[in-house]
Amino acid sequence: MNVSFHVAPLSGAEIPLALPLIQATWPSADLASWSGFVEFFNDRVVPIGSGVLALHDSAGFICGVLAYRFDRDLQAGAILAVHLFTVADLVNSPKTVRALIDAAEARASELGCLGVQIRLRSDQSKLASRLRTLGLSSEADLFWKKIDPAYTRN
């Protein structure tokens, strides 16, 4: 079985179609939060760019999504920072993950980046393992803390 993929920016009409895929990793995501997330990446005013890409299979179904922005790392220089990376790997094949990595690398190359950094949630351990198998390495941990929305600086 030969599977082909097509990558394109996620269109407004595709936002609700991609929601079940997003909810597979972020079960609490609803249409409003997902739409706001996509809008944030698509409407960013940054020097080079950011956006959301959809990976479509040969039947036209969305089987992967990544949200990216141009960023700079102190050691690596210009990078493509991938803030959301998720795939629907129904046939348990690395081809879908590889196709989404290829899309990230192509976009990084278009933007003149020297590398790609992909952020995964801790519950995406199977995907992390697949990324390591495909030659990516884990070089950092992400630490964060929620801030009370009532907190403001004067």
Side-chain angles (χ1 to χ4, degrees):
M1 180 175 168
N2 190 11
V3 179
S4 62
F5 299 99
H6 168 72
V7 177
L10 185 73
S11 71
E14 291 178 317
I15 292 172
L17 299 176
L19 182 59
L21 172 61
I22 299 308
Q23 288 174 326
T25 305
W26 295 270
S28 64
D30 60 16
L31 185 56
S33 63
W34 170 233
S35 296
F37 182 87
V38 173
E39 181 179 326
F40 175 82
F41 277 88
N42 285 341
D43 293 340
R44 295 279 300 177
V45 179
V46 292
I48 295 183
S50 65
V52 179
L53 298 177
L55 180 70
H56 299 85
D57 64 15
S58 54
F61 294 108
I62 298 171
C63 57
V65 175
L66 69 83
Y68 70 89
R69 77 169 182 213
F70 177 84
D71 208 344
R72 183 166 285 294
D73 182 84
L74 181 60
Q75 292 181 326
I79 60 163
L80 188 79
V82 178
H83 292 269
L84 180 145
F85 187 95
T86 192
V87 297
D89 195 6
L90 300 177
V91 294
N92 199 23
S93 165
K95 290 180 181 179
T96 308
V97 177
R98 177 80 257 170
L100 199 57
I101 291 169
D102 290 347
E105 290 176 356
R107 188 66 183 131
S109 180
E110 292 168 9
L111 295 174
C113 296
L114 302 172
V116 174
Q117 291 181 347
I118 299 172
R119 177 185 296 184
L120 296 179
R121 292 174 45 97
S122 58
D123 58 358
Q124 289 181 287
S125 59
K126 288 183 182 180
L127 182 55
S129 177
R130 177 74 42 88
L131 293 176
R132 280 190 283 283
T133 300
L134 293 172
L136 283 80
S137 62
S138 176
E139 297 179 359
D141 290 317
L142 179 66
F143 295 90
W144 70 286
K145 178 182 177 184
K146 290 185 179 182
I147 303 297
D148 184 349
Y151 174 77
T152 59
R153 292 183 187 244
N154 294 324

